[in-house]
Amino acid sequence: EPAMAETAPAEAVAAAGGVGGEAAPAGAFPSQYDESGMRSVDREEESLRGAQLKLACSMPDGSVQNVSCFMGNDVTYAKAQLARALDIEYARIKLFLDGKLMFDPLSFNDFPGIEQSATKEVSITVQIDPEQ
């Protein structure tokens, strides 16, 4: 067992990227960061968030509101962005893609037309319900 205790620090140094050899130049990034300066947690979050998405929201008055989000965001997120930008109640907003209502709990990953879009620039039609 004493031999195990002596090798543990060396193994920890090797697991952290080593002291020399293949490691990044000294001082480039602390060991929890990779060669591009990202932590594994950041990389995982980025993969879950998905590709950047630009929604061109055609408003009832003919204007267009642009909403930037990610494929991993849900319809709720985009509606909340519009509600804030337009200063109207969230519940009055309905989003349509190709004439079909986009339900709140769905993420943009759930829409094949958006998923297959090469540019990730998508035209959305917005309906604003009358005030109650």
Side-chain angles (χ1 to χ4, degrees):
E1 265 187 70
M4 187 89 141
E6 290 171 20
T7 60
E11 289 170 359
V13 169
V19 174
E22 302 297 313
F29 294 110
S31 61
Q32 71 265 33
Y33 294 89
D34 67 12
E35 63 282 347
S36 64
M38 290 183 78
R39 296 174 302 164
S40 63
V41 177
D42 299 327
R43 192 165 305 292
E44 184 175 342
E45 181 181 328
E46 181 181 60
S47 75
L48 292 173
R49 199 172 36 220
Q52 177 83 38
L53 190 58
K54 181 180 173 189
L55 305 177
C57 301
S58 300
M59 305 303 295
D61 67 3
S63 66
V64 174
Q65 289 280 331
N66 289 310
V67 174
S68 291
C69 56
F70 293 93
M71 286 297 294
N73 287 128
D74 54 20
V75 173
T76 304
Y77 178 86
K79 285 173 57 175
Q81 297 298 314
L82 279 174
R84 187 177 306 128
L86 302 170
D87 195 28
I88 61 173
E89 296 169 48
Y90 169 89
R92 294 176 56 203
I93 301 172
K94 288 188 174 75
L95 303 183
F96 294 85
L97 176 66
D98 300 326
K100 296 184 182 113
L101 179 64
M102 300 174 79
F103 293 100
D104 286 6
L106 297 178
S107 81
F108 295 108
N109 287 315
D110 295 319
F111 297 93
I114 296 175
E115 183 66 44
Q116 294 162 7
S117 164
T119 61
K120 298 297 186 239
E121 293 184 13
V122 181
S123 295
I124 303 290
T125 303
V126 179
Q127 176 183 313
I128 309 289
D129 290 339
E131 290 187 62
Q132 296 296 318

